[in-house]
Amino acid sequence: MKFAMIGLGKMGLNLVKNAADNKHEVVAFDLNADFVKAATDYSDLVTPATDIDDMLAKLPSPKVVWVMVPAGVPTNSTIDTLIEKMDKGDIIIDGGNSNYKDNLEQNLRTTAAGIKFFDAGTSGGMEGARSHGNFMIGGDDAQAWKTIEPLFASISEEDGYLYTGKLGSGHYLKMVHNGIEYGQMQAIAEGFEVLEASQFDYDYEAVAKLWNHGSVIRGWLMELMEDAFSKDPHLDNLAGRMHASGEGQWTIEEGLDLQVPTPVIALSLMMRYRSMQDDTFTGKVVAALRNEFGGHAVDKN
Amino acid sequence: MKFAMIGLGKMGLNLVKNAADNKHEVVAFDLNADFVKAATDYSDLVTPATDIDDMLAKLPSPKVVWVMVPAGVPTNSTIDTLIEKMDKGDIIIDGGNSNYKDNLEQNLRTTAAGIKFFDAGTSGGMEGARSHGNFMIGGDDAQAWKTIEPLFASISEEDGYLYTGKLGSGHYLKMVHNGIEYGQMQAIAEGFEVLEASQFDYDYEAVAKLWNHGSVIRGWLMELMEDAFSKDPHLDNLAGRMHASGEGQWTIEEGLDLQVPTPVIALSLMMRYRSMQDDTFTGKVVAALRNEFGGHAVDKN
Amino acid sequence: MKFAMIGLGKMGLNLVKNAADNKHEVVAFDLNADFVKAATDYSDLVTPATDIDDMLAKLPSPKVVWVMVPAGVPTNSTIDTLIEKMDKGDIIIDGGNSNYKDNLEQNLRTTAAGIKFFDAGTSGGMEGARSHGNFMIGGDDAQAWKTIEPLFASISEEDGYLYTGKLGSGHYLKMVHNGIEYGQMQAIAEGFEVLEASQFDYDYEAVAKLWNHGSVIRGWLMELMEDAFSKDPHLDNLAGRMHASGEGQWTIEEGLDLQVPTPVIALSLMMRYRSMQDDTFTGKVVAALRNEFGGHAVDKN
Amino acid sequence: MKFAMIGLGKMGLNLVKNAADNKHEVVAFDLNADFVKAATDYSDLVTPATDIDDMLAKLPSPKVVWVMVPAGVPTNSTIDTLIEKMDKGDIIIDGGNSNYKDNLEQNLRTTAAGIKFFDAGTSGGMEGARSHGNFMIGGDDAQAWKTIEPLFASISEEDGYLYTGKLGSGHYLKMVHNGIEYGQMQAIAEGFEVLEASQFDYDYEAVAKLWNHGSVIRGWLMELMEDAFSKDPHLDNLAGRMHASGEGQWTIEEGLDLQVPTPVIALSLMMRYRSMQDDTFTGKVVAALRNEFGGHAVDKN
């Protein structure tokens, strides 16, 4: 099928290549012309667009547009523009890491306009996007889903896509997926930190490899650790700063709103935030208290 | 090779069958004669023993004994007995979920007696033990390791065993493995609980299956969830009581001793302990306080 | 001074009595006429109002209205009504446990209308409201603060009120106060739960009393525990269900937005939410996993 | 009464002065002769001792010796020595922050020797020790307790001492007291960190003072914060390194052994350990994983 991709960054470009490999025609648009060129250079099946109007003009009806720009304001304003410019029966796919609450609000407007709206969470990283993605897609119109299902079927890992039901359920599932991911990563990391502090002397690459061959905790994240340790056996080149994007936080906030405890996901995120701090006011307060009541020595700045 | 297995429970019996499948001769002993019969019935390569003396008498020198009885007192007293009865150059393998600190103490005595001692952590569950185990083995004598390596090589998953160095390092690594496992399980569980409380209606078997085909969080635990949900879509038949054995707690205590924070592993275990309580004194105290200062209504017993 | 109180529940009625004790005149209004009667019966200084118009008509200019209705929709809609009906130079005090973000939005409208707006967080419980309250009050107009300061000075504990600066800072400070309160309560409660599970047999009332006489952890919450244990030595009459209102959750969410870790406040709230659950999906998932990989017995529903 | 004090550090010296102020005679001993001189210079009621034999020789029977040296090896070896040198009917008071498990073991030997043994936890800081201490004292011999009760009654805050029952219960209660203290300190600290990161500009000394006059969270720790902020309004002179002694960790380990969740106390300690780390292996592992699957940029060392 023929569709448009807006946003040709790390994920978008890989998806375009993946689609072209699978014989889909793609109209490619990005505010950065170099990115557009990189996409069109890849395959004759990829056509450039100079702006959104141009992009839409190059699509047959019903037009299918996949939005793959950064989550938040960029995605939301892109969708606003598309709602204005697209017609009844057309299809918008939000493929970013959007907050499902934004999608629910947008869905009121797409529904009013007769536009079919899908929220597609994407997992599997850049490598997955390139050749075997993992997609969880929500949307109220199960009929319109049939139109785009062949696209997802062709670019995903086998059994690697799922129509999850109502609009919002795709990004919601991706949000929870990322919450689980945060917890799993922190669990793995705490384990290796205990090993590193221990009296024993382990070969971490060998350990990760071992754990990937028959252990209970085998999985892709552990495979990635094997790879990482093969390149830097003690990760000496890295600073332990754990950046975070929004989904982990949303999962915790969702848990709070539902009054469901998520202690492990919460602590995973909080330890990330802690890793971004060089010193903490919390620490100063506790140090001050210990000094006040016990005369305990404090470390001076 | 020919060796003895003491302890023919869920794990021990499967290991005996696995070894016999791989043409090893096994002298099988358990205090429960039915278990011994189950082992010897399986293969002509398995010989029964009536007690430890009988078992040792049936082994060639150097004798190799694998201890696979419950961790703690049963394992420790078995090893004490073996140290008394075995000779210089013989080999003891502690295959249970022993605390590495116990092993370090035992190692002083085995070393004094000239007995070669190995601590072998085992992962992969019953199924792994049966045909493709995962083993992490420590022991001070790298030469003696060569004697038993072919046994481990034959019964493990390909690349599924590792000689981890100094005595104690095997069970230590298994301890940390289980700490990671606790964290990963709790992360997965919190995610599904958020889904269950959400406004959306997911097919959990389909979700677990999807996540196992290309997502970042794919792994064996998620495969097991797919299996579990296929049998009981909402786990209605289960009570949410999360039993625990010792390794998770040891990992946390080790972290505390090393002054390494393990918040995710700690909370995973604490939520297990919480799940075993019907009501809590903590809850009563907080309820009492809220009533005292704010006149907030309390739930009565 | 003369002012109006809207909302005569547990807190509002006590504040009216406190104000009347201190020779202030109060116009008292509540949707529940019985509550109005309870207020007017208390003192000749308290005048009833039948509705908001009547209430405003009975006030001199600049009119001062204290809103003490439940936080959220009731408070917000009351403030909306007051903004419509009040005049330039009049004063609104939001005394509930409002979210400061609501106040910031309301402040745009009160400022546009020339109405002076204050957000007053109130601590000290019902008893404090009655005779020695604790107030943290924000508002952009430091001059208008001078008008209402004598009221707060007269009804608070000595040194028990503070003008905290910009509008929003009062409820923000109260929010954080409650976050700290959650953490302190949970810390106290965990301590008593360890005592309760211990091998020793403590008299908890005596322990709380001891800790209030010279220990590092002395404070009002511990005094309240002494009182609670004096009435029910093992809190046998209480169920350990820990209800929660919004401020604890807001503190955590604020911390997340600021990327400031608040693990103790977060866990305090999550253990409250856990206490409201009879069984958990988290527990079922972990139990299912343990059964799948290890053949561990599960508790059946 | 006349008794001996071994250990004249921050706490011991203050206790000696306190006892002398209350007309007790004290035989003072410390390995550091300067400390002994500081004690004897304070009052004619204080007599120096040159070693433990000298100290014991200067006491009437039954001899009462209070041990106030650092917890752990120093205290334990001192008690070992005293058990050897003291007689049936004599009294040993362990006043340090000892682990109650050590006391239980020592109690077997003191009991065999007919020596009366008490474990006295001490709270209230240096200032409390000086004039109004807080003591929780366990010991199996309720009769012998009567002998030393007047001493504790005279040097403690009014109602500031408690005989807690069986030997071990004193230090156990102090252990839990410190666990609560850790949680309360962390809760206070997290609250101030949120304030510090907020959009508002608070005067923290004024906030602490306010909260100490009528709020729910008033208490001695908040009074100490008022004092600390009065000296350093933003704690700029302090590094946020939170040292820890053993009791917090013991409380968590005790909770784990009893299968009682103590998430808030545990996180309080773990955040202290985290504050002592400049960088973490945990952080490196998570950063490596994010880079592996998502191509996310990492911070380099």
Side-chain angles (χ1 to χ4, degrees):
Chain A
M1 59 179 289
K2 186 167 185 177
F3 71 101
M5 177 72 70
I6 306 184
L8 303 168
K10 286 185 295 192
M11 295 296 287
L13 179 61
N14 276 347
L15 288 169
V16 167
K17 291 180 177 176
N18 188 347
D21 288 350
N22 286 285
K23 309 301 172 207
H24 300 284
E25 294 175 76
V26 190
V27 181
F29 174 60
D30 194 292
L31 292 174
N32 185 326
D34 292 343
F35 287 18
V36 176
K37 185 165 186 315
T40 53
D41 282 355
Y42 179 72
S43 163
D44 290 346
L45 291 167
V46 183
T47 312
T50 54
D51 58 27
I52 287 185
D53 288 323
D54 180 46
M55 178 192 80
L56 291 173
K58 287 173 172 161
L59 287 174
S61 284
K63 303 172 194 296
V64 176
V65 178
W66 186 323
V67 180
M68 206 69 192
V69 300
V73 171
T75 291
N76 292 342
S77 68
T78 302
I79 290 172
D80 289 349
T81 301
L82 291 173
I83 293 174
E84 257 175 61
K85 293 179 184 285
M86 292 178 75
D87 295 316
K88 193 171 168 178
D90 288 347
I91 293 176
I92 301 173
I93 302 165
D94 174 4
N97 272 326
S98 296
N99 191 316
Y100 81 99
K101 292 177 182 175
D102 289 345
N103 294 140
L104 292 181
E105 184 275 328
Q106 291 154 351
N107 196 40
L108 300 175
R109 291 180 287 130
T110 52
T111 302
I115 297 169
K116 313 301 179 185
F117 189 38
F118 294 90
D119 63 308
T122 305
S123 184
M126 289 168 58
E127 184 192 312
R130 183 61 188 84
S131 60
H132 54 279
N134 185 273
F135 303 97
M136 36 213 103
I137 311 108
D140 292 342
D141 191 325
Q143 196 56 37
W145 162 244
K146 293 292 169 202
T147 306
I148 57 173
E149 179 169 9
L151 171 59
F152 284 99
S154 64
I155 62 174
S156 66
E157 174 86 8
E158 194 180 340
D159 289 327
Y161 72 95
L162 183 69
Y163 173 64
T164 54
K166 288 279 176 194
L167 193 282
S169 63
H171 282 151
Y172 194 95
L173 193 59
K174 178 60 177 11
M175 173 190 81
V176 169
H177 163 283
N178 281 30
I180 293 172
E181 179 189 299
Y182 274 53
Q184 292 193 328
M185 289 166 74
Q186 177 73 16
I188 290 169
E190 291 179 7
F192 279 106
E193 179 158 330
V194 171
L195 293 183
E196 175 76 358
S198 78
Q199 66 188 274
F200 300 108
D201 183 27
Y202 294 103
D203 174 339
Y204 300 137
E205 181 189 354
V207 166
K209 184 178 177 185
L210 169 71
W211 282 345
N212 279 319
H213 290 86
S215 94
V216 172
I217 58 175
R218 64 186 182 262
W220 194 49
L221 288 167
M222 194 60 75
E223 290 171 32
L224 295 177
M225 282 319 301
E226 184 182 341
D227 192 39
F229 283 127
S230 76
K231 292 180 274 189
D232 187 358
H234 284 79
L235 306 180
D236 290 327
N237 296 324
L238 293 180
R241 296 207 171 240
M242 303 182 268
H243 296 266
S245 48
E247 298 88 352
Q249 183 167 331
W250 298 335
T251 309
I252 300 161
E253 290 171 345
E254 187 70 15
L256 292 174
D257 284 340
L258 296 169
Q259 309 205 352
V260 164
T262 58
V264 155
I265 299 173
L267 265 297
S268 299
L269 182 63
M270 289 183 181
M271 295 314 280
R272 290 198 181 189
Y273 288 157
R274 177 63 186 80
S275 78
M276 306 304 287
Q277 299 176 302
D278 287 320
D279 199 358
T280 69
F281 204 67
T282 291
K284 291 165 181 271
V285 168
V286 170
L289 281 173
R290 293 187 81 243
N291 180 254
E292 288 286 330
F293 69 67
H296 298 290
V298 292
D299 296 348
K300 297 281 180 179
N301 249 352
Chain B
M1 60 179 287
K2 186 169 184 176
F3 71 100
M5 177 72 69
I6 307 184
L8 304 167
K10 285 185 297 189
M11 294 295 288
L13 179 59
N14 277 346
L15 287 168
V16 167
K17 292 180 177 176
N18 187 348
D21 288 351
N22 286 286
K23 309 299 171 209
H24 299 285
E25 293 175 77
V26 190
V27 182
F29 174 60
D30 194 290
L31 292 174
N32 185 326
D34 292 343
F35 286 18
V36 177
K37 183 164 189 315
T40 51
D41 283 354
Y42 178 72
S43 163
D44 290 346
L45 291 167
V46 183
T47 312
T50 54
D51 57 26
I52 287 184
D53 289 323
D54 180 46
M55 178 190 81
L56 291 173
K58 288 175 172 161
L59 288 174
S61 284
K63 303 173 195 293
V64 176
V65 178
W66 186 323
V67 181
M68 205 69 191
V69 301
V73 172
T75 291
N76 292 343
S77 68
T78 301
I79 289 172
D80 289 349
T81 301
L82 291 173
I83 293 174
E84 259 175 62
K85 293 179 184 285
M86 291 177 77
D87 296 317
K88 193 172 168 180
D90 288 347
I91 293 176
I92 301 174
I93 302 165
D94 175 4
N97 273 326
S98 296
N99 190 318
Y100 81 99
K101 293 178 182 174
D102 288 343
N103 293 141
L104 292 182
E105 184 276 326
Q106 291 153 351
N107 196 41
L108 300 176
R109 292 181 286 131
T110 53
T111 302
I115 298 170
K116 314 300 180 186
F117 188 38
F118 293 90
D119 63 309
T122 306
S123 183
M126 290 169 58
E127 184 192 313
R130 183 62 188 83
S131 60
H132 54 280
N134 185 272
F135 304 97
M136 37 213 104
I137 311 107
D140 290 343
D141 191 325
Q143 195 56 38
W145 161 245
K146 293 292 169 201
T147 307
I148 56 173
E149 180 169 7
L151 172 59
F152 284 100
S154 65
I155 63 173
S156 65
E157 174 86 8
E158 192 180 342
D159 289 327
Y161 71 97
L162 182 69
Y163 172 63
T164 55
K166 288 278 174 198
L167 192 284
S169 63
H171 282 153
Y172 195 94
L173 192 60
K174 178 59 176 11
M175 171 190 82
V176 169
H177 163 284
N178 281 30
I180 293 172
E181 178 189 300
Y182 274 53
Q184 291 193 328
M185 288 166 73
Q186 177 73 16
I188 290 170
E190 290 179 9
F192 278 106
E193 179 158 332
V194 170
L195 293 184
E196 175 77 358
S198 78
Q199 66 188 275
F200 300 108
D201 184 27
Y202 294 103
D203 174 339
Y204 300 137
E205 181 188 354
V207 165
K209 184 178 177 185
L210 169 71
W211 282 345
N212 278 319
H213 290 85
S215 95
V216 172
I217 59 175
R218 63 186 183 263
W220 194 48
L221 289 167
M222 194 60 75
E223 289 171 33
L224 295 177
M225 282 318 303
E226 183 182 341
D227 191 40
F229 283 128
S230 76
K231 292 182 273 189
D232 187 357
H234 284 78
L235 306 179
D236 290 327
N237 296 326
L238 294 179
R241 296 207 170 239
M242 303 182 268
H243 297 267
S245 48
E247 298 88 352
Q249 182 167 332
W250 298 335
T251 309
I252 300 161
E253 290 171 346
E254 187 71 14
L256 293 174
D257 284 341
L258 297 169
Q259 308 206 354
V260 163
T262 58
V264 154
I265 298 174
L267 264 297
S268 298
L269 181 62
M270 288 185 182
M271 296 314 280
R272 289 199 183 187
Y273 288 157
R274 177 61 186 82
S275 78
M276 305 303 288
Q277 300 176 302
D278 287 321
D279 199 357
T280 70
F281 205 66
T282 291
K284 290 167 182 270
V285 168
V286 170
L289 281 173
R290 294 187 81 243
N291 180 253
E292 287 287 329
F293 69 68
H296 298 290
V298 292
D299 296 348
K300 296 282 181 178
N301 250 353
Chain C
M1 60 178 287
K2 186 168 184 176
F3 71 100
M5 178 72 71
I6 306 184
L8 304 168
K10 285 186 295 190
M11 294 296 286
L13 180 60
N14 276 348
L15 288 169
V16 167
K17 290 180 178 176
N18 187 348
D21 289 350
N22 285 285
K23 309 301 171 206
H24 299 286
E25 294 175 77
V26 190
V27 182
F29 174 61
D30 195 290
L31 292 174
N32 185 327
D34 292 342
F35 285 19
V36 177
K37 186 165 186 313
T40 52
D41 282 355
Y42 179 71
S43 163
D44 290 347
L45 291 168
V46 184
T47 312
T50 54
D51 59 25
I52 287 184
D53 288 322
D54 180 45
M55 180 191 79
L56 291 173
K58 287 173 172 162
L59 289 174
S61 284
K63 302 172 195 294
V64 175
V65 178
W66 186 323
V67 180
M68 205 70 192
V69 301
V73 172
T75 291
N76 293 342
S77 68
T78 301
I79 290 172
D80 289 348
T81 301
L82 290 173
I83 293 174
E84 257 175 61
K85 292 177 184 286
M86 292 177 76
D87 296 316
K88 194 175 166 175
D90 288 346
I91 293 175
I92 300 174
I93 301 166
D94 174 4
N97 273 327
S98 296
N99 190 317
Y100 82 99
K101 293 177 181 174
D102 289 344
N103 294 141
L104 292 180
E105 184 275 327
Q106 291 154 351
N107 196 40
L108 300 175
R109 292 181 286 130
T110 53
T111 302
I115 297 170
K116 313 302 180 185
F117 187 39
F118 293 90
D119 62 308
T122 305
S123 183
M126 289 169 60
E127 184 192 312
R130 183 63 189 82
S131 60
H132 54 279
N134 186 272
F135 304 97
M136 37 213 104
I137 311 107
D140 291 342
D141 191 325
Q143 195 56 37
W145 162 244
K146 292 294 169 199
T147 306
I148 57 171
E149 180 170 8
L151 171 59
F152 283 99
S154 65
I155 62 174
S156 65
E157 174 86 9
E158 194 180 341
D159 289 326
Y161 72 96
L162 182 69
Y163 173 63
T164 54
K166 287 280 175 195
L167 193 282
S169 63
H171 282 153
Y172 194 95
L173 192 59
K174 178 58 176 12
M175 172 190 81
V176 170
H177 163 284
N178 281 31
I180 294 173
E181 180 189 299
Y182 274 52
Q184 293 194 326
M185 289 166 74
Q186 177 72 16
I188 290 170
E190 290 178 8
F192 278 107
E193 180 158 330
V194 171
L195 294 183
E196 176 77 356
S198 78
Q199 65 186 277
F200 300 108
D201 183 28
Y202 295 103
D203 174 338
Y204 300 136
E205 182 188 354
V207 166
K209 184 178 177 185
L210 169 71
W211 282 345
N212 278 319
H213 289 85
S215 94
V216 172
I217 59 175
R218 64 187 183 262
W220 194 49
L221 288 168
M222 196 59 76
E223 291 172 32
L224 295 177
M225 282 318 302
E226 183 182 341
D227 192 40
F229 283 128
S230 75
K231 291 181 275 190
D232 187 357
H234 284 77
L235 305 180
D236 291 328
N237 296 324
L238 294 180
R241 296 209 170 237
M242 303 182 269
H243 297 267
S245 48
E247 298 89 353
Q249 183 168 332
W250 298 336
T251 308
I252 300 161
E253 290 171 345
E254 187 72 13
L256 292 174
D257 284 341
L258 297 168
Q259 307 205 353
V260 164
T262 57
V264 155
I265 299 174
L267 265 297
S268 299
L269 181 63
M270 288 183 181
M271 296 313 279
R272 289 199 183 188
Y273 288 156
R274 177 61 187 82
S275 78
M276 305 303 288
Q277 299 175 302
D278 287 321
D279 199 357
T280 69
F281 205 67
T282 290
K284 290 166 182 271
V285 168
V286 170
L289 281 173
R290 294 187 80 243
N291 180 254
E292 287 287 330
F293 68 68
H296 299 290
V298 293
D299 296 348
K300 296 282 180 178
N301 248 353
Chain D
M1 58 179 289
K2 186 168 183 175
F3 71 101
M5 177 71 70
I6 306 184
L8 304 167
K10 284 185 297 189
M11 293 296 287
L13 179 61
N14 276 347
L15 287 168
V16 167
K17 291 180 178 178
N18 187 347
D21 288 350
N22 285 287
K23 309 300 171 208
H24 299 286
E25 294 175 76
V26 189
V27 182
F29 175 60
D30 194 290
L31 292 174
N32 185 327
D34 292 343
F35 286 18
V36 177
K37 185 166 187 315
T40 51
D41 282 356
Y42 179 72
S43 163
D44 290 346
L45 290 168
V46 182
T47 311
T50 54
D51 58 25
I52 287 185
D53 289 323
D54 181 46
M55 179 191 80
L56 290 172
K58 287 174 172 163
L59 287 175
S61 283
K63 303 174 195 293
V64 176
V65 178
W66 186 324
V67 181
M68 206 69 191
V69 301
V73 171
T75 291
N76 292 343
S77 68
T78 302
I79 289 173
D80 289 349
T81 302
L82 290 173
I83 293 174
E84 259 176 61
K85 293 180 184 283
M86 292 178 76
D87 297 316
K88 192 173 170 181
D90 287 347
I91 293 175
I92 301 173
I93 302 165
D94 175 3
N97 272 326
S98 295
N99 190 317
Y100 81 99
K101 292 177 182 174
D102 288 343
N103 294 141
L104 292 181
E105 184 276 326
Q106 291 154 350
N107 196 40
L108 300 175
R109 291 180 287 131
T110 53
T111 301
I115 298 170
K116 313 301 179 185
F117 188 39
F118 293 91
D119 62 309
T122 305
S123 182
M126 290 169 58
E127 183 191 314
R130 183 62 189 84
S131 60
H132 54 278
N134 185 271
F135 304 98
M136 37 213 103
I137 311 107
D140 291 343
D141 191 325
Q143 195 56 37
W145 161 245
K146 292 293 170 201
T147 307
I148 56 172
E149 179 169 9
L151 171 60
F152 284 99
S154 65
I155 62 173
S156 67
E157 173 86 7
E158 194 180 340
D159 290 327
Y161 73 96
L162 182 69
Y163 173 63
T164 54
K166 288 280 175 195
L167 192 283
S169 63
H171 282 153
Y172 194 95
L173 193 58
K174 178 60 179 6
M175 172 190 80
V176 169
H177 163 284
N178 281 30
I180 294 173
E181 180 190 298
Y182 274 51
Q184 292 194 327
M185 288 166 75
Q186 176 73 15
I188 290 170
E190 290 179 7
F192 279 107
E193 180 158 330
V194 171
L195 293 183
E196 176 76 356
S198 77
Q199 65 187 276
F200 300 109
D201 184 27
Y202 295 103
D203 174 340
Y204 300 137
E205 180 189 355
V207 165
K209 183 177 177 186
L210 168 72
W211 281 344
N212 279 318
H213 289 85
S215 95
V216 171
I217 59 175
R218 64 186 183 262
W220 194 49
L221 288 168
M222 195 59 75
E223 290 172 33
L224 294 177
M225 282 319 301
E226 184 182 341
D227 192 40
F229 283 128
S230 76
K231 292 181 273 189
D232 187 357
H234 284 77
L235 306 179
D236 290 327
N237 296 324
L238 295 179
R241 294 207 172 239
M242 303 182 269
H243 297 266
S245 49
E247 298 88 351
Q249 183 167 331
W250 298 335
T251 309
I252 299 161
E253 290 171 346
E254 186 71 14
L256 292 174
D257 284 340
L258 297 169
Q259 308 204 354
V260 164
T262 58
V264 154
I265 298 174
L267 264 297
S268 298
L269 181 63
M270 289 183 180
M271 295 314 280
R272 289 198 182 190
Y273 288 156
R274 177 62 186 82
S275 78
M276 305 304 287
Q277 300 175 301
D278 287 320
D279 198 357
T280 69
F281 205 67
T282 291
K284 291 166 182 271
V285 169
V286 170
L289 281 173
R290 293 186 81 243
N291 180 255
E292 287 287 330
F293 68 68
H296 299 290
V298 293
D299 296 348
K300 295 281 179 179
N301 248 353

